[in-house]
Amino acid sequence: MEKIRWVIEESEKYLANTTRDPESQPLVIDRGEGVWVYDIEGNKYLDFTSGIGVNNLGWPSHPDVIKVAQIQMTRLAHAAANDFYNIPQMELAKRLVQLSPGNFSKKVFFSNSGTESVEASIKLVKGTGRKYLIAFLGSFHGRTLGSLALTASKPVQRYSAGPFSIGVFHVPYPNPFRNPWKINGYEKPDELINAVIEYIDFWLFQHVVDPEEVAGIIFEPIQGEGGYVVPPHNFFAELRKLAQKYNIPLIDDEVQMGLGRTGKMFAIEHFNIEPDIITLAKALGGGLVPVGATIFRSDLDFKKKGIHSNTFGGNALSMSIGLKVVELIKELMPHVNEIGKIFGEELCQMKVDDCRGLGLAWGIEFVKSDKTPDPKVRDRVVTEAFKEGLIVISAGKSSIRIIPPILKLGIEW
């Protein structure tokens, strides 16, 4: 532990204060192999975090992805892809358009992260001339100022950053376990759905903002940082009806849940609707490179050249990696659904207060007798799991997210 303590002390001295917690998880990662992570003293840990959804194909990545990266980086990596053209960028854009839900014309903008993909979506919908956006309580959409204005997971994430320049109205998410109406959404899903839709259509649109000024509604199909909350199945269909009534685009934030995590390529496919915009990141880079993507209805495209661009987005290295990642993930869908069913059955038999999820995206929550969150118990479970060689991370006020890599075991690393 001496070397580990030294690295942590030096890191705390020179690195910004972020979300690392040396008390609960003093992990100094040295290397990874598939679903296993090793620290600098040789201790081995089973990973149930997948690098917060980045290493869906294992650590450091799937061998086939690594091969593609090695070949591409000797030919072309950076390509100034928003000023010139490269074939991998074109091919990945075509593939994402083909795979994403929606039988309509679509385009793609590539960036470097999830928050950037969300920022692009904000600009796209504001290009309609409308002013405001609607987001959900419990949501997490990023930490840059535009996406942070949409985020409403924990007050600390917005601390000292406001006021925000974009107009956002937050509404309750249809959390079956805990919501303002105290409706048991597992037993009465339609009642919960109706409560949320009524809140938007009556209380918000008739008292606060004219729907004709709303540029977009953004949501996570399953809330990630907010606690891995799965809404009632019909919610997004009803939200789609409401959005169509007022011609409001829907923005589907798939940064954490997209690309196979839930047993489908896009999590929204479980809910049978076609969003106008989809944001991606995390897993698309195969654990090797940072990458973001915004897939959008073609008529929402930026109205003039130069409204939006960046330097590294669409670089040939990350695009080649993304192509291989998408190919491998598509093949893994039956495996994710098979193993996900086992995870769900086992997790929901544990002594937890709520258990919810799809595929290999599961959340377990701990609460007190009055159903208020119990973060102390949750934090103790995280710490004890680490001591036993299992890495998990928290979500929401008192939940743990269970998101292991989705790869099949038996691959040679």
PDB file of all heavy atoms in Angstrom, residues 3-28:
ATOM      1  N   LYS A   3       3.268   2.325  -2.003  1.00  0.00           N
ATOM      2  CA  LYS A   3       3.376   2.953  -3.317  1.00  0.00           C
ATOM      3  C   LYS A   3       2.039   3.574  -3.726  1.00  0.00           C
ATOM      4  O   LYS A   3       1.993   4.673  -4.295  1.00  0.00           O
ATOM      5  CB  LYS A   3       3.812   1.909  -4.350  1.00  0.00           C
ATOM      6  CG  LYS A   3       4.176   2.501  -5.701  1.00  0.00           C
ATOM      7  CD  LYS A   3       4.700   1.419  -6.624  1.00  0.00           C
ATOM      8  CE  LYS A   3       5.069   2.015  -7.990  1.00  0.00           C
ATOM      9  NZ  LYS A   3       5.538   0.978  -8.937  1.00  0.00           N
ATOM     10  N   ILE A   4       0.958   2.877  -3.419  1.00  0.00           N
ATOM     11  CA  ILE A   4      -0.367   3.382  -3.733  1.00  0.00           C
ATOM     12  C   ILE A   4      -0.632   4.684  -2.992  1.00  0.00           C
ATOM     13  O   ILE A   4      -1.112   5.673  -3.572  1.00  0.00           O
ATOM     14  CB  ILE A   4      -1.441   2.328  -3.403  1.00  0.00           C
ATOM     15  CG1 ILE A   4      -1.368   1.176  -4.404  1.00  0.00           C
ATOM     16  CG2 ILE A   4      -2.843   2.949  -3.410  1.00  0.00           C
ATOM     17  CD1 ILE A   4      -2.287   0.027  -4.099  1.00  0.00           C
ATOM     18  N   ARG A   5      -0.324   4.709  -1.702  1.00  0.00           N
ATOM     19  CA  ARG A   5      -0.533   5.925  -0.911  1.00  0.00           C
ATOM     20  C   ARG A   5       0.270   7.085  -1.471  1.00  0.00           C
ATOM     21  O   ARG A   5      -0.205   8.226  -1.534  1.00  0.00           O
ATOM     22  CB  ARG A   5      -0.177   5.668   0.563  1.00  0.00           C
ATOM     23  CG  ARG A   5      -1.299   4.995   1.361  1.00  0.00           C
ATOM     24  CD  ARG A   5      -1.063   5.129   2.853  1.00  0.00           C
ATOM     25  NE  ARG A   5       0.155   4.429   3.266  1.00  0.00           N
ATOM     26  CZ  ARG A   5       0.191   3.170   3.690  1.00  0.00           C
ATOM     27  NH1 ARG A   5      -0.929   2.465   3.744  1.00  0.00           N
ATOM     28  NH2 ARG A   5       1.325   2.616   4.060  1.00  0.00           N
ATOM     29  N   TRP A   6       1.514   6.805  -1.888  1.00  0.00           N
ATOM     30  CA  TRP A   6       2.369   7.859  -2.432  1.00  0.00           C
ATOM     31  C   TRP A   6       1.768   8.444  -3.711  1.00  0.00           C
ATOM     32  O   TRP A   6       1.712   9.658  -3.889  1.00  0.00           O
ATOM     33  CB  TRP A   6       3.778   7.310  -2.710  1.00  0.00           C
ATOM     34  CG  TRP A   6       4.676   8.326  -3.362  1.00  0.00           C
ATOM     35  CD1 TRP A   6       5.347   9.340  -2.748  1.00  0.00           C
ATOM     36  CD2 TRP A   6       4.962   8.429  -4.759  1.00  0.00           C
ATOM     37  NE1 TRP A   6       6.041  10.085  -3.673  1.00  0.00           N
ATOM     38  CE2 TRP A   6       5.829   9.547  -4.914  1.00  0.00           C
ATOM     39  CE3 TRP A   6       4.584   7.702  -5.885  1.00  0.00           C
ATOM     40  CZ2 TRP A   6       6.312   9.937  -6.158  1.00  0.00           C
ATOM     41  CZ3 TRP A   6       5.069   8.088  -7.120  1.00  0.00           C
ATOM     42  CH2 TRP A   6       5.918   9.196  -7.257  1.00  0.00           C
ATOM     43  N   VAL A   7       1.295   7.573  -4.607  1.00  0.00           N
ATOM     44  CA  VAL A   7       0.695   8.051  -5.860  1.00  0.00           C
ATOM     45  C   VAL A   7      -0.547   8.887  -5.576  1.00  0.00           C
ATOM     46  O   VAL A   7      -0.757   9.942  -6.197  1.00  0.00           O
ATOM     47  CB  VAL A   7       0.344   6.866  -6.785  1.00  0.00           C
ATOM     48  CG1 VAL A   7      -0.464   7.351  -7.997  1.00  0.00           C
ATOM     49  CG2 VAL A   7       1.602   6.156  -7.256  1.00  0.00           C
ATOM     50  N   ILE A   8      -1.373   8.435  -4.642  1.00  0.00           N
ATOM     51  CA  ILE A   8      -2.595   9.175  -4.305  1.00  0.00           C
ATOM     52  C   ILE A   8      -2.247  10.539  -3.712  1.00  0.00           C
ATOM     53  O   ILE A   8      -2.839  11.569  -4.094  1.00  0.00           O
ATOM     54  CB  ILE A   8      -3.476   8.360  -3.343  1.00  0.00           C
ATOM     55  CG1 ILE A   8      -4.079   7.153  -4.079  1.00  0.00           C
ATOM     56  CG2 ILE A   8      -4.582   9.231  -2.743  1.00  0.00           C
ATOM     57  CD1 ILE A   8      -4.844   6.196  -3.194  1.00  0.00           C
ATOM     58  N   GLU A   9      -1.280  10.575  -2.809  1.00  0.00           N
ATOM     59  CA  GLU A   9      -0.882  11.853  -2.195  1.00  0.00           C
ATOM     60  C   GLU A   9      -0.327  12.821  -3.234  1.00  0.00           C
ATOM     61  O   GLU A   9      -0.654  14.010  -3.231  1.00  0.00           O
ATOM     62  CB  GLU A   9       0.141  11.599  -1.090  1.00  0.00           C
ATOM     63  CG  GLU A   9      -0.451  10.963   0.161  1.00  0.00           C
ATOM     64  CD  GLU A   9       0.620  10.520   1.158  1.00  0.00           C
ATOM     65  OE1 GLU A   9       1.817  10.771   0.892  1.00  0.00           O
ATOM     66  OE2 GLU A   9       0.249   9.925   2.187  1.00  0.00           O
ATOM     67  N   GLU A  10       0.509  12.323  -4.136  1.00  0.00           N
ATOM     68  CA  GLU A  10       1.077  13.180  -5.188  1.00  0.00           C
ATOM     69  C   GLU A  10      -0.020  13.635  -6.159  1.00  0.00           C
ATOM     70  O   GLU A  10      -0.007  14.777  -6.623  1.00  0.00           O
ATOM     71  CB  GLU A  10       2.167  12.423  -5.958  1.00  0.00           C
ATOM     72  CG  GLU A  10       3.439  12.179  -5.165  1.00  0.00           C
ATOM     73  CD  GLU A  10       4.165  13.484  -4.863  1.00  0.00           C
ATOM     74  OE1 GLU A  10       4.740  14.076  -5.796  1.00  0.00           O
ATOM     75  OE2 GLU A  10       4.135  13.918  -3.685  1.00  0.00           O
ATOM     76  N   SER A  11      -0.953  12.748  -6.448  1.00  0.00           N
ATOM     77  CA  SER A  11      -2.049  13.107  -7.350  1.00  0.00           C
ATOM     78  C   SER A  11      -2.929  14.188  -6.738  1.00  0.00           C
ATOM     79  O   SER A  11      -3.325  15.152  -7.422  1.00  0.00           O
ATOM     80  CB  SER A  11      -2.900  11.865  -7.667  1.00  0.00           C
ATOM     81  OG  SER A  11      -2.131  10.891  -8.338  1.00  0.00           O
ATOM     82  N   GLU A  12      -3.246  14.038  -5.448  1.00  0.00           N
ATOM     83  CA  GLU A  12      -4.068  15.041  -4.776  1.00  0.00           C
ATOM     84  C   GLU A  12      -3.370  16.396  -4.741  1.00  0.00           C
ATOM     85  O   GLU A  12      -4.016  17.449  -4.767  1.00  0.00           O
ATOM     86  CB  GLU A  12      -4.409  14.581  -3.354  1.00  0.00           C
ATOM     87  CG  GLU A  12      -5.353  13.393  -3.283  1.00  0.00           C
ATOM     88  CD  GLU A  12      -6.726  13.703  -3.838  1.00  0.00           C
ATOM     89  OE1 GLU A  12      -7.256  14.793  -3.549  1.00  0.00           O
ATOM     90  OE2 GLU A  12      -7.270  12.875  -4.592  1.00  0.00           O
ATOM     91  N   LYS A  13      -2.060  16.369  -4.719  1.00  0.00           N
ATOM     92  CA  LYS A  13      -1.273  17.606  -4.679  1.00  0.00           C
ATOM     93  C   LYS A  13      -1.308  18.337  -6.023  1.00  0.00           C
ATOM     94  O   LYS A  13      -1.354  19.570  -6.071  1.00  0.00           O
ATOM     95  CB  LYS A  13       0.179  17.276  -4.304  1.00  0.00           C
ATOM     96  CG  LYS A  13       1.044  18.507  -3.998  1.00  0.00           C
ATOM     97  CD  LYS A  13       2.508  18.109  -3.815  1.00  0.00           C
ATOM     98  CE  LYS A  13       2.682  17.137  -2.676  1.00  0.00           C
ATOM     99  NZ  LYS A  13       4.131  16.809  -2.461  1.00  0.00           N
ATOM    100  N   TYR A  14      -1.301  17.580  -7.134  1.00  0.00           N
ATOM    101  CA  TYR A  14      -1.130  18.200  -8.446  1.00  0.00           C
ATOM    102  C   TYR A  14      -2.369  18.158  -9.353  1.00  0.00           C
ATOM    103  O   TYR A  14      -2.412  18.876 -10.358  1.00  0.00           O
ATOM    104  CB  TYR A  14       0.046  17.538  -9.188  1.00  0.00           C
ATOM    105  CG  TYR A  14       1.372  17.791  -8.518  1.00  0.00           C
ATOM    106  CD1 TYR A  14       2.040  16.781  -7.843  1.00  0.00           C
ATOM    107  CD2 TYR A  14       1.953  19.059  -8.555  1.00  0.00           C
ATOM    108  CE1 TYR A  14       3.260  17.014  -7.217  1.00  0.00           C
ATOM    109  CE2 TYR A  14       3.173  19.294  -7.935  1.00  0.00           C
ATOM    110  CZ  TYR A  14       3.819  18.271  -7.268  1.00  0.00           C
ATOM    111  OH  TYR A  14       5.022  18.512  -6.662  1.00  0.00           O
ATOM    112  N   LEU A  15      -3.339  17.323  -9.032  1.00  0.00           N
ATOM    113  CA  LEU A  15      -4.517  17.194  -9.884  1.00  0.00           C
ATOM    114  C   LEU A  15      -5.701  17.952  -9.310  1.00  0.00           C
ATOM    115  O   LEU A  15      -5.845  18.091  -8.092  1.00  0.00           O
ATOM    116  CB  LEU A  15      -4.903  15.719 -10.060  1.00  0.00           C
ATOM    117  CG  LEU A  15      -3.909  14.852 -10.835  1.00  0.00           C
ATOM    118  CD1 LEU A  15      -4.376  13.411 -10.839  1.00  0.00           C
ATOM    119  CD2 LEU A  15      -3.734  15.362 -12.260  1.00  0.00           C
ATOM    120  N   ALA A  16      -6.569  18.425 -10.188  1.00  0.00           N
ATOM    121  CA  ALA A  16      -7.765  19.151  -9.770  1.00  0.00           C
ATOM    122  C   ALA A  16      -8.661  18.273  -8.909  1.00  0.00           C
ATOM    123  O   ALA A  16      -8.678  17.040  -9.039  1.00  0.00           O
ATOM    124  CB  ALA A  16      -8.539  19.636 -10.999  1.00  0.00           C
ATOM    125  N   ASN A  17      -9.413  18.907  -8.046  1.00  0.00           N
ATOM    126  CA  ASN A  17     -10.365  18.226  -7.184  1.00  0.00           C
ATOM    127  C   ASN A  17     -11.577  17.833  -8.015  1.00  0.00           C
ATOM    128  O   ASN A  17     -12.322  18.685  -8.492  1.00  0.00           O
ATOM    129  CB  ASN A  17     -10.769  19.171  -6.048  1.00  0.00           C
ATOM    130  CG  ASN A  17     -11.555  18.482  -4.963  1.00  0.00           C
ATOM    131  OD1 ASN A  17     -11.556  17.263  -4.867  1.00  0.00           O
ATOM    132  ND2 ASN A  17     -12.229  19.263  -4.143  1.00  0.00           N
ATOM    133  N   THR A  18     -11.783  16.530  -8.226  1.00  0.00           N
ATOM    134  CA  THR A  18     -12.894  16.085  -9.068  1.00  0.00           C
ATOM    135  C   THR A  18     -13.791  15.118  -8.296  1.00  0.00           C
ATOM    136  O   THR A  18     -14.371  15.489  -7.288  1.00  0.00           O
ATOM    137  CB  THR A  18     -12.363  15.439 -10.374  1.00  0.00           C
ATOM    138  OG1 THR A  18     -11.498  14.334 -10.052  1.00  0.00           O
ATOM    139  CG2 THR A  18     -11.605  16.453 -11.209  1.00  0.00           C
ATOM    140  N   THR A  19     -13.892  13.890  -8.731  1.00  0.00           N
ATOM    141  CA  THR A  19     -14.782  12.926  -8.065  1.00  0.00           C
ATOM    142  C   THR A  19     -14.030  11.738  -7.472  1.00  0.00           C
ATOM    143  O   THR A  19     -14.651  10.801  -6.977  1.00  0.00           O
ATOM    144  CB  THR A  19     -15.850  12.403  -9.064  1.00  0.00           C
ATOM    145  OG1 THR A  19     -15.200  11.892 -10.227  1.00  0.00           O
ATOM    146  CG2 THR A  19     -16.792  13.523  -9.480  1.00  0.00           C
ATOM    147  N   ARG A  20     -12.706  11.752  -7.551  1.00  0.00           N
ATOM    148  CA  ARG A  20     -11.950  10.647  -6.954  1.00  0.00           C
ATOM    149  C   ARG A  20     -12.141  10.635  -5.439  1.00  0.00           C
ATOM    150  O   ARG A  20     -12.177  11.684  -4.803  1.00  0.00           O
ATOM    151  CB  ARG A  20     -10.454  10.787  -7.289  1.00  0.00           C
ATOM    152  CG  ARG A  20     -10.104  10.551  -8.743  1.00  0.00           C
ATOM    153  CD  ARG A  20      -8.608  10.743  -8.982  1.00  0.00           C
ATOM    154  NE  ARG A  20      -8.234  12.143  -8.806  1.00  0.00           N
ATOM    155  CZ  ARG A  20      -8.208  13.046  -9.776  1.00  0.00           C
ATOM    156  NH1 ARG A  20      -8.534  12.699 -11.010  1.00  0.00           N
ATOM    157  NH2 ARG A  20      -7.866  14.301  -9.532  1.00  0.00           N
ATOM    158  N   ASP A  21     -12.218   9.440  -4.847  1.00  0.00           N
ATOM    159  CA  ASP A  21     -12.384   9.293  -3.401  1.00  0.00           C
ATOM    160  C   ASP A  21     -11.372   8.271  -2.879  1.00  0.00           C
ATOM    161  O   ASP A  21     -11.605   7.061  -2.949  1.00  0.00           O
ATOM    162  CB  ASP A  21     -13.804   8.846  -3.061  1.00  0.00           C
ATOM    163  CG  ASP A  21     -14.048   8.784  -1.557  1.00  0.00           C
ATOM    164  OD1 ASP A  21     -13.100   9.017  -0.782  1.00  0.00           O
ATOM    165  OD2 ASP A  21     -15.190   8.490  -1.158  1.00  0.00           O
ATOM    166  N   PRO A  22     -10.239   8.747  -2.360  1.00  0.00           N
ATOM    167  CA  PRO A  22      -9.194   7.822  -1.907  1.00  0.00           C
ATOM    168  C   PRO A  22      -9.579   7.012  -0.679  1.00  0.00           C
ATOM    169  O   PRO A  22      -8.923   6.016  -0.357  1.00  0.00           O
ATOM    170  CB  PRO A  22      -8.015   8.757  -1.603  1.00  0.00           C
ATOM    171  CG  PRO A  22      -8.636  10.075  -1.299  1.00  0.00           C
ATOM    172  CD  PRO A  22      -9.852  10.157  -2.177  1.00  0.00           C
ATOM    173  N   GLU A  23     -10.646   7.418  -0.004  1.00  0.00           N
ATOM    174  CA  GLU A  23     -11.062   6.683   1.191  1.00  0.00           C
ATOM    175  C   GLU A  23     -11.831   5.414   0.825  1.00  0.00           C
ATOM    176  O   GLU A  23     -11.564   4.340   1.364  1.00  0.00           O
ATOM    177  CB  GLU A  23     -11.934   7.587   2.089  1.00  0.00           C
ATOM    178  CG  GLU A  23     -11.219   8.823   2.593  1.00  0.00           C
ATOM    179  CD  GLU A  23      -9.954   8.484   3.368  1.00  0.00           C
ATOM    180  OE1 GLU A  23      -9.980   7.518   4.170  1.00  0.00           O
ATOM    181  OE2 GLU A  23      -8.938   9.162   3.160  1.00  0.00           O
ATOM    182  N   SER A  24     -12.790   5.517  -0.085  1.00  0.00           N
ATOM    183  CA  SER A  24     -13.623   4.357  -0.403  1.00  0.00           C
ATOM    184  C   SER A  24     -12.982   3.453  -1.449  1.00  0.00           C
ATOM    185  O   SER A  24     -13.158   2.238  -1.419  1.00  0.00           O
ATOM    186  CB  SER A  24     -15.002   4.805  -0.887  1.00  0.00           C
ATOM    187  OG  SER A  24     -14.904   5.468  -2.130  1.00  0.00           O
ATOM    188  N   GLN A  25     -12.249   4.051  -2.409  1.00  0.00           N
ATOM    189  CA  GLN A  25     -11.650   3.252  -3.473  1.00  0.00           C
ATOM    190  C   GLN A  25     -10.251   3.777  -3.824  1.00  0.00           C
ATOM    191  O   GLN A  25     -10.087   4.501  -4.814  1.00  0.00           O
ATOM    192  CB  GLN A  25     -12.553   3.254  -4.713  1.00  0.00           C
ATOM    193  CG  GLN A  25     -13.845   2.480  -4.513  1.00  0.00           C
ATOM    194  CD  GLN A  25     -14.711   2.474  -5.756  1.00  0.00           C
ATOM    195  OE1 GLN A  25     -14.947   3.504  -6.365  1.00  0.00           O
ATOM    196  NE2 GLN A  25     -15.193   1.308  -6.139  1.00  0.00           N
ATOM    197  N   PRO A  26      -9.257   3.416  -3.025  1.00  0.00           N
ATOM    198  CA  PRO A  26      -7.877   3.859  -3.309  1.00  0.00           C
ATOM    199  C   PRO A  26      -7.251   3.025  -4.427  1.00  0.00           C
ATOM    200  O   PRO A  26      -6.319   2.247  -4.209  1.00  0.00           O
ATOM    201  CB  PRO A  26      -7.176   3.632  -1.967  1.00  0.00           C
ATOM    202  CG  PRO A  26      -7.909   2.480  -1.355  1.00  0.00           C
ATOM    203  CD  PRO A  26      -9.347   2.633  -1.786  1.00  0.00           C
ATOM    204  N   LEU A  27      -7.783   3.189  -5.643  1.00  0.00           N
ATOM    205  CA  LEU A  27      -7.373   2.361  -6.763  1.00  0.00           C
ATOM    206  C   LEU A  27      -6.432   3.145  -7.687  1.00  0.00           C
ATOM    207  O   LEU A  27      -6.810   4.176  -8.232  1.00  0.00           O
ATOM    208  CB  LEU A  27      -8.601   1.898  -7.553  1.00  0.00           C
ATOM    209  CG  LEU A  27      -8.342   1.076  -8.822  1.00  0.00           C
ATOM    210  CD1 LEU A  27      -7.615  -0.232  -8.489  1.00  0.00           C
ATOM    211  CD2 LEU A  27      -9.643   0.797  -9.560  1.00  0.00           C
ATOM    212  N   VAL A  28      -5.222   2.636  -7.845  1.00  0.00           N
ATOM    213  CA  VAL A  28      -4.261   3.199  -8.797  1.00  0.00           C
ATOM    214  C   VAL A  28      -4.093   2.157  -9.897  1.00  0.00           C
ATOM    215  O   VAL A  28      -3.401   1.152  -9.725  1.00  0.00           O
ATOM    216  CB  VAL A  28      -2.913   3.521  -8.131  1.00  0.00           C
ATOM    217  CG1 VAL A  28      -1.954   4.134  -9.163  1.00  0.00           C
ATOM    218  CG2 VAL A  28      -3.105   4.471  -6.962  1.00  0.00           C
TER     219      VAL A  28
END
